[in-house]
């Protein structure tokens, strides 16, 4: 190959320079296409905050429960199961109605919450007062034939070992329906407290009558006479000693 002229050298240099620019440009473009767009942390936090602040405004009610004779809440917020998901402007316009709930009587009732033209129904349960937790020890005992049986609060010590408060006594039920006091035998009875049934036994028996024979009467008389004589002798001895002194 002959020596390149000055003009040919310039042409080749221009072509190589153009190719270089093309390669560099395409390399940068491919790199940008391959690398994912970076999300700044602060932008992500803003997005998450906006999602968390979105309110569903769906009204969900609680199943309410209250001990008998306790006052009903008039705060509508106490009845909402998803308060945090409801916009405050909506909460302020909710209308609570507990007129069908009787807090002085055990039972299950319905309450309502109204918003605009729609009503939502909830359940409200009034329950018995919780009684003190007490374990009872029921007695087994004997009863003479035809003796009376009582189950009044003041007579509970006949049936139960523990000393009880008036509150506990007033909530105890004693069932003596299976006991026959006019007939000898062993009978079951029950004591019920706070849903627990305790069982005891009563043995109805015929008291033995003591028979005194004529000989026993004579022996008792002799014994009494001897004791009287002994007492008289002792008194005379005391009198004599006092006279000497």
């Amino acid at each position: 190959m002959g020596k390149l002229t000055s003009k040919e050298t310039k042409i080749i240099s221009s072509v190589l320079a153009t190719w270089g620019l093309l390669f560099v440009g395409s390399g940068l473009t491919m790199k940008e296409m391959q690398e994912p767009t970076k999300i700044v942390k602060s932008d992500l936090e803003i997005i998450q905050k906006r999602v968390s602040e979105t309110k569903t405004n769906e009204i969900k009610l609680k199943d309410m429960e209250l001990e008998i004779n306790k006052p009903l809440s008039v705060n509508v917020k106490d009845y909402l199961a998803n308060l945090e998901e409801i916009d405050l402007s909506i909460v302020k316009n909710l209308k609570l109605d507990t007129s069908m709930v009787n807090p002085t009587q055990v039972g299950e009732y319905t309450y309502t919450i109204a918003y605009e033209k729609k009503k939502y129904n909830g359940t409200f349960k009034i329950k018995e007062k919780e009684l003190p937790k007490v374990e009872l020890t029921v007695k087994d005992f004997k009863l003479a034939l035809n003796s009376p049986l009582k189950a009044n609060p003041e007579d509970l010590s006949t049936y139960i070992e523990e000393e009880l408060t008036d509150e506990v006594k007033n909530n105890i039920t004693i069932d003596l329906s299976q006991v026959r006091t006019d007939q000898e035998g062993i009978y079951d009875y029950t004591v019920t407290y706070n849903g627990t049934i305790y069982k005891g036994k009563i043995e109805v028996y015929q008291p033995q009558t003591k028979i005194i024979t004529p000989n026993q009467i004579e022996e008792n008389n002799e014994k009494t006479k001897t004791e009287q004589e002994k007492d008289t002798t002792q008194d005379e001895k005391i009198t004599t000693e006092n006279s000497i002194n």
Side-chain angles (χ1 to χ4, degrees), residues 61-73 78-80 98 101-111 122-130:
L61 305 187
K62 293 180 182 178
D63 288 334
M64 301 296 290
E65 192 173 273
L66 187 69
E67 191 176 283
I68 189 170
N69 295 324
K70 297 289 185 180
L72 297 176
S73 171
D78 294 335
Y79 296 79
L80 298 173
T98 59
V101 182
N102 184 356
T104 64
Q105 185 173 340
V106 173
E108 193 167 292
Y109 304 91
T110 299
Y111 72 92
T123 301
F124 206 124
K125 183 179 180 181
I126 302 297
K127 62 180 183 178
E128 291 282 6
K129 180 181 179 181
E130 291 188 8

Side-chain angles (χ1 to χ4, degrees), residues 21-181:
L21 288 172
L22 289 173
F23 288 144
V24 171
S26 62
L28 289 173
T29 303
M30 290 298 294
K31 184 178 181 181
E32 289 176 356
M33 291 176 64
Q34 291 174 358
E35 290 184 359
T37 303
K38 293 182 179 179
I39 299 177
V40 181
K41 183 179 180 182
S42 59
D43 294 336
L44 183 60
E45 290 176 348
I46 291 171
I47 295 170
Q48 290 175 339
K49 184 177 181 181
R50 286 176 179 172
V51 171
S52 65
E53 289 177 349
T54 302
K55 305 288 186 179
T56 64
N57 291 328
E58 180 183 0
I59 296 174
K60 297 179 182 178
L61 305 187
K62 293 180 182 178
D63 288 334
M64 301 296 290
E65 192 173 273
L66 187 69
E67 191 176 283
I68 189 170
N69 295 324
K70 297 289 185 180
L72 297 176
S73 171
V74 295
N75 188 346
V76 70
K77 293 180 180 179
D78 294 335
Y79 296 79
L80 298 173
N82 61 332
L83 176 61
E84 300 301 324
E85 299 175 8
I86 305 173
D87 192 88
L88 186 59
S89 62
I90 293 177
V91 175
K92 290 180 178 179
N93 287 287
L94 297 178
K95 305 297 181 182
L96 172 66
D97 182 4
T98 59
S99 59
M100 291 186 289
V101 182
N102 184 356
T104 64
Q105 185 173 340
V106 173
E108 193 167 292
Y109 304 91
T110 299
Y111 72 92
T112 63
I113 289 180
Y115 177 67
E116 294 181 340
K117 294 182 180 181
K118 190 170 183 179
K119 282 189 176 182
Y120 302 84
N121 295 327
T123 301
F124 206 124
K125 183 179 180 181
I126 302 297
K127 62 180 183 178
E128 291 282 6
K129 180 181 179 181
E130 291 188 8
L131 295 172
K133 294 182 180 179
V134 177
E135 289 291 328
L136 302 180
T137 306
V138 177
K139 296 179 181 178
D140 294 336
F141 62 94
K142 294 183 178 182
L143 184 73
L145 194 66
N146 294 319
S147 295
L149 268 178
K150 296 181 180 180
N152 299 324
E154 59 270 19
D155 299 313
L156 293 182
S157 59
T158 303
Y159 308 92
I160 300 169
E161 295 281 0
E162 291 80 11
E163 292 187 8
L164 306 173
T165 63
D166 289 341
E167 182 181 10
V168 173
K169 287 180 180 179
N170 293 329
N171 286 279
I172 285 178
T173 303
I174 297 180
D175 183 3
L176 301 170
S177 60
Q178 302 301 315
V179 181
R180 293 192 58 180
T181 60

